[in-house]
Amino acid sequence: HQALEAKEGVTIERENQTLATITFQNYFRLYSKLSGMTGTAETEKNEFKKIYNLGVVVVPTNKPLARKDLSDVVFKTVDAKYRATVDRISELNQKGQPVLVGTVSIEVSESISKLLKKEGIAHEVLNAKHHEREAEIISAAGQFGAVTIATNMAGRGTDIKPSQETLEVGGLFVLGTGRHDSRRIDNQFRGRSGRQGDPGASQFLLSLEDDLLRIFGGERISNLMDKLNIEEDEPIEHVFITKAIGNAQRKVEGYHFDMRKHVLEYDDVMEKQRSIIYGRRREILGEGVQNLILEMCDGVVDRIMNQHCADKYADQWDVKGFNRAFESVFGKVPNEKWYEEELKADEHAEIFYKWIEDLYKEKIDFFRKVAAFNFEPEVSEDEGKDLFIKMILDLERQVLLKVNDNLWKDHLLSMDHLREGIGLVGYAQKKPLDEYRKQAFEMFSDLMDRIDQEAISTFYKLTIAHHLAESDPPPLPQDVEFIHGEVEKPTDEKVKQKKQQPVRAQATTGRNEPCPCGSGKKYKKCCGIAKKIA
């Protein structure tokens, strides 16, 4: 979006951050049961089987199909195709048969509309520019003598009901001006005609300059037309042409399926990570938060042990490093000389687990005292216990959720950057997908470690800024004398004003005099140094 903002000369906003992501395929897989119904699933049955493990069953039509699907007609150029389209529409319009003209884009629909206006043929154009009249235009497309131009996707979901006069002249004629990349779209377009056993017809007019034929199969057909010395406006209508076009569409569909499958393979990596993170969130929102915190504490201790005490012999352990790491997470080390006990690493670990439980209880006791001190007097002991349990549960959840969600959000951003650049490993003769899986696993392992460490560190270092209830102010001394200059002195009695006393400095100890602390040293060598440092 930043490139677009720069192009349009508007304020360039900060880069968007992904908060959650999932593909349609993995989203649908979350349902325990999947089913559906469509008129065009037969051509995509292989994808349904591979992605969703769903079979496709063809249900027979209610009434026998009476529509005539004519063979495709191919022209050398786009202009020749457009001229043939207008001639075909004019021919059908003269006998009153309604025509639904399908185009692959809005630009093509407007080009054909201009040609029809030149010929004086009344028609309606249905594209995204007239979406509010879409249902009205498409429902009238089956009337006698109607000509409607629409994109292949427009008006879906609205039945075209032919009039009695229309049925007598052959029903609705569906005329396509180009094949879509997907056979499903073409089949949907054909299906506008000949519903419920009504008569109708369909045909596609193509040119060798159409994208589908030009990219995926036009060269062979073009060479054939050159050999036969066929003129520009002379059409080719043959079963071979229809088969070649069908093959080209299958190539395109296979290409798009490979792309979707490729995206899904990358998203499958994220799906595993998502399931773990969201599973953790469900645990946090459950009732066993305390057990989850202690499990996370054990994991943190294990990692600190592996980092500083991985050697076989105790004298090779980094004891100071362990103490610093333990204190940075849990706030303090109950016994800094734990290593003096000659125990194995796993036995020390058991002691550390006990420390953690004791520190956890100590933290909870601290919160309990603060809560009890701040409860209203009318709150009973049982009510206070219930309130405190809810407060602690809510506090633990907030800490864990905040850390979990913030770090997961940052991880998604890192994964986006990894996904963007992973293709470059192909230059090193490595498979990008395998490398992506490997790096994603390492990044996710690091993420889980950071979530544990940051969440536990935050919880154990929690304190209350103003944890004591406000007490009454101390009583003023009795011998304090208040003097207000604005108040007039009483006339009946004279009040003697105290004379202001000078401020006298306290006696100071000389640098070379004996230190007053009684150490026997000179002041400059004893308390003088401490005062200077302070």
Side-chain angles (χ1 to χ4, degrees), residues 421-436 438-439:
I422 199 64
L424 296 174
V425 302
Y427 291 112
Q429 305 299 315
K430 294 180 180 178
K431 192 175 179 182
L433 180 59
D434 292 343
E435 198 65 22
Y436 178 78
K438 178 184 173 184
Q439 294 191 31

Side-chain angles (χ1 to χ4, degrees), residues 174-185:
V174 170
L175 184 64
T177 59
R179 286 279 196 166
H180 199 275
D181 288 348
S182 171
R183 288 173 293 167
R184 293 182 64 243
I185 305 298

Side-chain angles (χ1 to χ4, degrees), residues 159-210:
D159 274 351
I160 300 174
K161 296 179 180 179
S163 63
Q164 188 59 40
E165 290 179 286
T166 299
L167 295 176
E168 292 173 0
V169 295
L172 178 67
F173 194 101
V174 170
L175 184 64
T177 59
R179 286 279 196 166
H180 199 275
D181 288 348
S182 171
R183 288 173 293 167
R184 293 182 64 243
I185 305 298
D186 291 342
N187 290 340
Q188 283 177 340
F189 187 60
R190 282 188 195 274
R192 304 293 183 81
S193 174
R195 289 175 179 260
Q196 297 298 323
D198 291 337
S202 69
Q203 188 173 33
F204 284 89
L205 306 182
L206 313 173
S207 82
L208 295 178
E209 294 176 353
D210 291 349

Side-chain angles (χ1 to χ4, degrees), residues 299-462:
V300 172
V301 168
D302 289 341
R303 281 189 289 278
I304 296 175
M305 285 285 290
N306 291 336
Q307 185 177 356
H308 299 283
C309 307
D311 294 317
K312 185 176 181 180
Y313 300 105
D315 57 353
Q316 296 175 339
W317 293 349
D318 180 11
V319 176
K320 290 183 179 178
F322 176 88
N323 288 346
R324 281 196 300 269
F326 192 96
E327 186 175 359
S328 68
V329 176
F330 299 99
K332 66 177 181 179
V333 182
N335 178 14
E336 293 189 357
K337 296 186 177 182
W338 53 269
Y339 54 87
E340 292 179 353
E341 298 181 31
E342 296 182 359
L343 300 173
K344 295 179 181 178
D346 54 348
E347 293 173 336
H348 278 298
E350 292 298 326
I351 294 174
F352 300 148
Y353 300 155
K354 185 69 173 60
W355 284 1
I356 290 165
E357 290 184 21
D358 293 341
L359 289 172
Y360 178 81
K361 291 174 183 175
E362 186 179 312
K363 179 62 69 174
I364 298 300
D365 287 340
F366 166 73
F367 288 138
R368 184 180 288 108
K369 289 175 183 176
V370 173
F373 194 79
N374 285 273
F375 280 147
E376 295 292 336
E378 58 269 17
V379 177
S380 67
E381 187 175 345
D382 292 338
E383 287 176 336
K385 286 181 180 178
D386 292 340
L387 278 173
F388 176 72
I389 291 171
K390 290 178 182 177
M391 288 166 57
I392 286 296
L393 192 63
D394 186 51
L395 178 67
E396 292 173 339
R397 282 174 178 164
Q398 285 189 42
V399 170
L400 296 185
L401 282 176
K402 187 78 172 174
V403 173
N404 191 82
D405 292 350
N406 283 345
L407 292 181
W408 171 244
K409 185 178 67 173
D410 295 341
H411 176 73
L412 287 178
L413 183 63
S414 301
M415 291 296 290
D416 284 345
H417 293 159
L418 175 64
R419 178 73 180 85
E420 288 172 7
I422 199 64
L424 296 174
V425 302
Y427 291 112
Q429 305 299 315
K430 294 180 180 178
K431 192 175 179 182
L433 180 59
D434 292 343
E435 198 65 22
Y436 178 78
R437 286 172 177 156
K438 178 184 173 184
Q439 294 191 31
F441 175 76
E442 292 172 356
M443 290 169 64
F444 187 70
S445 299
D446 179 60
L447 167 72
M448 297 305 290
D449 292 348
R450 285 187 292 119
I451 287 176
D452 288 356
Q453 181 143 344
E454 191 166 324
I456 296 306
S457 176
T458 303
F459 177 78
Y460 274 89
K461 291 178 181 176
L462 274 178

